[in-house]
Amino acid sequence: MSFSGANGKRVGKDVNMKTFVNLLQDESGASAAEYALILAIVGGAIALAAITLGKTIGNSLKTASNCISKGSSATSSDCP
């Protein structure tokens, strides 16, 4: 069922189906979604690396602090 609009063009099922087919064939949104997925993966990897590196640096500083605080009484296990 379709109707004639004010300008004489047909409106209704034909226009809606054409619009729907055009939306299905449009791939511009797909590439944006792919970029968003890549960004999320890279962001997660950076966050994981920062957390791991932070823990490693914290442990190294704690070891150095223990070594310094023990002074001359430190053993080789205290200061690797």
Side-chain angles (χ1 to χ4, degrees), residues 3-73:
F3 301 96
S4 294
N7 58 3
K9 286 189 171 181
R10 290 178 46 173
V11 292
K13 276 187 181 177
D14 295 336
V15 174
N16 289 335
M17 185 56 78
K18 185 175 180 180
T19 303
F20 182 69
V21 170
N22 286 340
L23 285 174
L24 287 177
Q25 293 175 346
D26 184 17
E27 294 183 7
S28 62
S31 61
E34 291 166 358
Y35 285 127
L37 182 61
I38 291 170
L39 182 64
I41 291 170
V42 170
I46 290 172
L48 184 63
I51 290 170
T52 303
L53 186 61
K55 288 180 182 178
T56 303
I57 291 172
N59 289 338
S60 296
L61 289 176
K62 185 184 281 187
T63 302
S65 174
N66 288 338
C67 183
I68 292 170
S69 66
K70 290 191 179 184
S72 61
S73 64

